[in-house]
Amino acid sequence: MDKDLENLKKQALSAVQAARSVAQLDELENKWFGRAHGELTQLMKGLKDLSPEERKTAGEELNHLKVALSEAVAEKRGVLEGSAWAVAAETERVDITQPALPKKSVGHLHPNTLVQRDLEDLFTSMGFMVLDGPELESDYYNFTALNIPENHPARDMQDTFYVKGHKNWVMRTHTSPMQVRAMQKFGAPLRLVVPGKCFRNEATDVRHEHTFYQLEGLVVDTHITLSHLKGVLEAVARHLYGPATKVRVRPKFYPFVEPGINGEVTCFLCSGKGCRVCKCSGWLEIFGAGLVHPHVLKEGGIDPAQYQGFAFGLGVTRLVMLKYGIDDIRLLESGDMSFLEQF
Ligand code: FA5
């Protein structure tokens, strides 16, 4: 073999041995066999300038060199690729003897929220809009606009938390203040519910909390009667507790409705036999309701000669007790994780 070719072969083979990666091998291949500037490619192209005798010998030698280099590269490529797999297998090895990591605890919705959202879905399916109202409310919307003037004994029905130094602001005692706010904003006809937190200065017991949830409902339209009200509330009770649920309605005084009623369902704990939760009556009160008082419609800017309305305030926390069989309302806001984790 020509001396120059002999040297080229030596250098090339030792470069293949020295290569440490597949990328380096690719570079070498390009250096020798590259179409435009590869060293061997150039030599092949030069054959045409030789005499036929010289071309034959040189051509054979170049071909042998090409085969030798290609084989050396292929062999080295196999070695490098094999060791890359081995490295990956080692670094990505899964240690099946490692103890499991502690399970991350993920929170969930509070039962009050579950029932509230369920009711929001039910009411939107009946064409009601869902509104939000302020928890810190003006004395005017919480009482006065609802036909409960200052110093009237009806205010004693709902004692609340006042804000020090701001006697005209109270923590709302019910969701009813949104009745007049909504009438003033949207006018008639109206169909809405307002879920939210309420506050009362209560001596707490198994049925009463100082902080609890209500869901207000208000419908204002022409030709509204008590039957519409009863129909809606029965639909709510059946939706929550099944088609056999009984609702008992009795007269009750609320200054902002005329007539006023309250509604009870069969006590979940004693199935109507009488127990400490239902004060031995067999029934649990879940809402107050009635036909909107003409004074309240007027306060909302609606003409009572043209429109009537019904309103109700569902005790959502009581509905939660009934749905899940909770025998003490105070558990719901207690922050007791062993209780909350059951939902
Ligand atoms: C009211 O709050 C009226 N705003 C309801 C109303 C709305 C009447 C529209 C007429 C028209 P009452 O104080 O009865 O009414 O409360 C309504 C419901 O809230 C009760 O039936 C009860 O389920 C629940 N509730 C009242 N006080 C508490 C309390 N301290 N803890 C838990 N739930 C309560």
Side-chain angles (χ1 to χ4, degrees):
M1 185 184 275
D2 178 274
K3 238 204 159 62
D4 290 345
L5 282 188
E6 207 56 80
N7 277 341
L8 177 61
K9 184 176 177 184
K10 259 193 205 154
Q11 282 171 12
L13 289 177
S14 65
V16 171
Q17 282 317 310
R20 288 281 160 270
S21 67
V22 173
Q24 280 177 6
L25 280 183
D26 290 343
E27 258 177 49
L28 288 175
E29 274 190 314
N30 191 39
K31 184 175 167 217
W32 301 322
F33 309 126
R35 270 179 179 230
H37 307 290
E39 285 175 31
L40 277 171
T41 317
Q42 294 299 328
L43 290 173
M44 294 280 198
K45 280 183 186 166
L47 287 176
K48 68 176 184 331
D49 303 326
L50 300 178
S51 68
E53 276 302 301
E54 287 170 327
R55 193 183 309 146
K56 187 167 178 266
T57 333
E60 272 172 16
E61 285 179 347
L62 276 177
N63 266 336
H64 284 137
L65 178 56
K66 195 176 172 189
V67 170
L69 291 185
S70 300
E71 281 175 359
V73 167
E75 192 182 329
K76 182 75 180 189
R77 190 181 289 279
V79 171
L80 288 175
E81 283 177 349
S83 63
W85 277 107
V87 169
E90 184 51 35
T91 51
E92 290 165 21
R93 192 165 63 93
V94 176
D95 180 1
I96 55 167
T97 64
Q98 187 177 348
L101 296 170
K103 209 175 142 210
K104 272 200 185 137
S105 78
V106 180
H108 60 82
L109 295 177
H110 191 278
N112 280 340
T113 314
L114 294 173
V115 171
Q116 179 181 313
R117 292 199 179 168
D118 186 21
L119 289 174
E120 286 175 12
D121 284 349
L122 174 69
F123 279 105
T124 43
S125 77
M126 294 196 279
F128 286 64
M129 59 178 172
V130 180
L131 297 183
D132 205 10
E135 291 173 4
L136 179 61
E137 184 53 278
S138 70
D139 179 286
Y140 164 75
Y141 283 113
N142 198 80
F143 295 121
T144 316
L146 291 172
N147 206 24
I148 317 174
E150 215 174 328
N151 302 321
H152 192 281
R155 288 206 175 196
D156 293 346
M157 290 168 73
Q158 298 182 2
D159 189 14
T160 187
F161 302 105
Y162 286 83
V163 181
K164 217 172 178 179
H166 299 275
K167 85 177 190 42
N168 291 328
W169 291 92
V170 299
M171 296 307 287
R172 68 174 174 195
T173 54
H174 50 176
T175 40
S176 300
M178 280 303 287
Q179 287 186 24
V180 173
R181 280 184 180 276
M183 288 184 220
Q184 289 176 347
K185 183 161 184 192
F186 301 106
L190 257 186
R191 209 184 295 182
L192 59 94
V193 288
V194 187
K197 215 185 249 183
C198 307
F199 311 84
R200 289 190 198 176
N201 183 12
E202 294 270 20
T204 59
D205 60 27
V206 291
R207 286 189 323 279
H208 294 90
E209 253 293 17
H210 50 73
T211 303
F212 58 98
Y213 288 78
Q214 285 191 344
L215 182 131
E216 192 78 9
L218 174 68
V219 171
V220 178
D221 214 323
T222 51
H223 312 299
I224 291 292
T225 69
L226 263 187
S227 316
H228 296 118
L229 170 61
K230 191 155 181 268
V232 167
L233 291 169
E234 278 175 353
V236 171
R238 291 201 194 108
H239 172 78
L240 288 173
Y241 310 120
T245 311
K246 285 205 181 103
V247 180
R248 180 167 84 163
V249 168
R250 296 190 300 172
K252 182 168 178 185
F253 172 69
Y254 293 101
F256 35 98
V257 284
E258 178 57 41
I261 55 172
N262 80 346
E264 298 162 312
V265 288
T266 318
C267 177
F268 65 89
L269 201 60
C270 59
S271 309
K273 289 189 204 81
C275 68
R276 69 180 187 130
V277 173
C278 60
K279 279 197 284 184
C280 299
S281 69
W283 297 91
L284 195 64
E285 182 185 316
I286 56 161
F287 64 83
L291 293 185
V292 182
H293 198 289
H295 289 179
V296 177
L297 287 171
K298 267 194 211 151
E299 202 66 34
I302 292 174
D303 179 5
Q306 197 185 348
Y307 288 102
Q308 305 81 48
F310 70 75
F312 55 87
L314 283 164
V316 172
T317 318
R318 294 263 179 92
L319 301 178
V320 173
M321 291 176 76
L322 280 164
K323 188 171 169 83
Y324 296 108
I326 300 163
D327 63 1
D328 191 332
I329 195 171
R330 292 166 294 193
L331 284 166
L332 284 158
E333 298 278 326
S334 66
D336 177 348
M337 291 306 287
S338 59
F339 167 74
L340 289 173
E341 276 164 2
Q342 298 173 62
F343 299 95

